[in-house]
Amino acid sequence: MAGERDHLRPNSGQPGDIRIAPSLLAADFGMLAEQVGEVAPSAEWLHVDVMDGHFVPNVSIGPPVVASLRRHTPLFFDCHLMMTEPGRYLEEFAEAGADGCTVHVEVGGSAGLIAQMRHLGLRTGLALNPDTPFEAVEPYLSQVDLVLCMTVFPGFGGQSFMGEVMDKVTQVRAAVDAGSLAVDIEVDGGIDVATAPLARRAGANVFVAGSAIFGHDRPWEAADAIRRSVLAGAE
Ligand code: DX5
Ligand code: ZN
């Protein structure tokens, strides 16, 4: 018998499936394992924001935290590396238990970084800042598993969604579909029940949300609400 949460159940993980990815950045770092356990039944992925104090002004967490959390959950770890030199750390992230890593196209050397991630068996992503054009990622579309279109300038949680990025999401979606590519399109920054449907309509299928989920008393309900908003707004 179908339960009332059945349509909200995390899915099987085919490229293009809708995925909700709570961002750890907004969680209570003093009780990470508990917080992850709370959202896990309502999430496909856990988004891990890694900031090096150089590519972005902020410093967050690194491989030791990934390794510690790995012992507490089988959830897919989607590591967003906001780092000037991600290549120096990819192996450490893979060993720590990252499932996917996403590096920024702005740091250069994308072809080599993609090869390195593939060699390490990582699901491979390229991220674009809000002001970086679609053309920067276009040459790599057939080599990646994910394109992350930032909907805020990276560095901090709790910023406002930039609707103007939706044109780029539409461009990525058109190219992915035209090439029948198995590429997920992720949005990150200011995602909530109001903005996720806009990103869905533009073609995104992975929705990162930090403050909208962990800023909520019952974070699992907030994740479910975002999924519901995406499903309702998709028609
Ligand atoms: C921003 C990070 C985001 C951030 C999102 O630099 O990449 O993942 O945590 O946070 P919210 O959902 O609060 O905008
Ligand atoms: Zn992120």
Side-chain angles (χ1 to χ4, degrees), residues 25 47 49-60 80-83 102-107 127-132 148-160 162 165 168 188-190:
L25 192 63
H47 186 79
D49 282 309
V50 179
M51 302 178 173
D52 68 350
H54 193 260
F55 180 70
V56 289
N58 215 352
V59 174
S60 59
H80 176 195
L81 307 187
M82 288 164 272
M83 311 178 86
T102 297
V103 300
H104 272 262
V105 74
E106 295 84 7
V107 303
L128 297 159
N129 280 343
D131 58 355
T132 301
L148 165 53
C149 294
M150 290 303 298
T151 42
V152 297
F153 281 96
F156 301 92
Q159 303 181 75
S160 297
M162 297 171 67
V165 176
K168 184 167 60 192
D188 180 9

Side-chain angles (χ1 to χ4, degrees), residues 15-62:
D17 281 354
I18 289 172
R19 307 176 201 285
I20 306 298
S23 166
L24 211 54
L25 192 63
D28 180 344
F29 282 8
M31 44 184 290
L32 281 182
E34 292 94 320
Q35 294 251 283
V36 172
E38 284 182 353
V39 292
S42 298
E44 282 80 10
W45 287 3
L46 184 74
H47 186 79
V48 181
D49 282 309
V50 179
M51 302 178 173
D52 68 350
H54 193 260
F55 180 70
V56 289
N58 215 352
V59 174
S60 59
I61 55 173

Side-chain angles (χ1 to χ4, degrees), residues 44-143:
E44 282 80 10
W45 287 3
L46 184 74
H47 186 79
V48 181
D49 282 309
V50 179
M51 302 178 173
D52 68 350
H54 193 260
F55 180 70
V56 289
N58 215 352
V59 174
S60 59
I61 55 173
V65 175
V66 172
S68 295
L69 277 177
R70 186 74 292 169
R71 295 193 282 276
H72 293 274
T73 177
L75 209 53
F76 183 101
F77 286 172
D78 168 40
C79 297
H80 176 195
L81 307 187
M82 288 164 272
M83 311 178 86
T84 304
E85 294 191 81
R88 289 177 56 188
Y89 303 94
L90 285 169
E91 192 169 349
E92 260 188 83
F93 277 103
E95 279 170 9
D99 296 289
C101 282
T102 297
V103 300
H104 272 262
V105 74
E106 295 84 7
V107 303
S110 296
L113 291 168
I114 290 168
Q116 203 183 338
M117 288 188 274
R118 292 225 165 280
H119 178 71
L120 290 166
L122 291 164
R123 213 157 179 285
T124 299
L126 272 187
L128 297 159
N129 280 343
D131 58 355
T132 301
F134 163 68
E135 287 71 24
V137 80
E138 194 178 12
Y140 308 108
L141 279 183
S142 62
Q143 302 161 43

